Amino acid sequence: MSKRIAVIDLGSNSARVMLMEAHGCNHYRLLDEIQEPVRISENMGDERIIKPSAINRVLVALKSFKRFCDVNDVCDVNDVSIILGIATAALRTAKNRAQVLSVIKEETGISLRVLSGEEEARYEYLGVVNTMNFEDALIVDIGGASTEIILCKERKMIRCISLPFGAVNITEKFLPKKRAFKIHDKKAF
């Protein structure tokens, strides 16, 4: 018997929903997916507060994902909706995490589990080890608010670390708000 489940990944830069068809315990087939740029970590700054504008972007995306799940009959054989929601670094480090999670649940009906840095790295490892052929590797995943580094030997995860910097928070910290680019040598292009 198969069932349809949805996995929602609320990252620091984007949110994604993946519609999967599950057959037993070990076989899944991707049916469809949607990704939206939400930039939940935008302007969090050193105070680590998720701003209302970012929360609004997340709510719009998650409400759309919920409608997508409803239209695609996301449920198990007993007609119980199965939406697995996870969140990563932005919510992991946010001082207003509980408030944001509560608003998301109230407005969308979606519960999100915030992953630890180690859990995030482990899921990244599982994604790579199950899709790529390698023996030894150093996996680096740069997200919006964190970077995970995973050392693999003989296809096994040996060590991992989650660092609190990513594309969004580093850009905001080190690049000027308004960037003016001047072309000095047109022949360079």
Side-chain angles (χ1 to χ4, degrees), residues 19-161:
L19 177 63
M20 309 292 289
E21 188 172 63
H23 301 273
C25 295
N26 298 318
H27 177 70
Y28 296 88
R29 183 170 64 103
L30 178 65
L31 299 175
D32 203 352
E33 69 181 309
I34 302 171
Q35 182 173 338
E36 292 291 334
V38 294
R39 293 181 66 89
I40 192 172
S41 63
E42 184 176 62
N43 297 319
M44 282 180 71
D46 293 333
E47 67 271 5
R48 307 305 306 157
I49 300 293
I50 297 175
K51 303 296 189 264
S53 58
I55 296 169
N56 287 333
R57 288 191 300 271
V58 168
L59 290 174
V60 167
L62 293 183
K63 286 176 182 178
S64 170
F65 292 175
K66 180 71 167 83
R67 284 189 302 275
F68 172 78
C69 291
D70 292 343
V71 166
N72 282 286
D73 298 321
V74 171
C75 60
D76 66 11
V77 292
N78 298 314
D79 285 334
V80 176
S81 179
I82 300 178
I83 299 175
L84 306 171
I86 60 161
T88 57
L91 275 163
R92 181 168 55 240
T93 62
K95 290 181 181 174
N96 61 339
R97 169 177 51 188
Q99 175 191 6
V100 173
L101 290 172
S102 177
V103 167
I104 288 171
K105 174 66 175 169
E106 182 179 310
E107 295 283 327
T108 68
I110 297 170
S111 296
L112 297 173
R113 184 170 73 83
V114 180
L115 299 180
S116 70
E118 292 76 23
E119 287 176 307
E120 187 173 355
R122 174 131 176 89
Y123 286 127
E124 291 161 355
Y125 159 74
L126 289 171
V128 172
V129 78
N130 286 299
T131 57
M132 297 180 70
N133 187 17
F134 67 89
E135 289 301 314
D136 299 336
L138 183 65
I139 302 167
V140 179
D141 178 42
I142 302 171
S146 69
T147 296
E148 284 70 42
I149 303 173
I150 304 134
L151 176 63
C152 301
K153 294 283 187 187
E154 298 176 1
R155 298 188 58 80
K156 304 282 187 239
M157 182 171 72
I158 304 300
R159 294 191 74 176
C160 67
I161 188 169

Side-chain angles (χ1 to χ4, degrees), residues 168-186:
V168 175
N169 56 6
I170 293 298
T171 298
E172 289 177 354
K173 187 167 185 133
F174 294 107
L175 289 180
K177 297 290 182 204
K178 293 183 181 181
R179 285 170 262 172
F181 296 98
K182 295 182 181 178
I183 299 174
H184 296 287
D185 183 3
K186 292 180 183 176

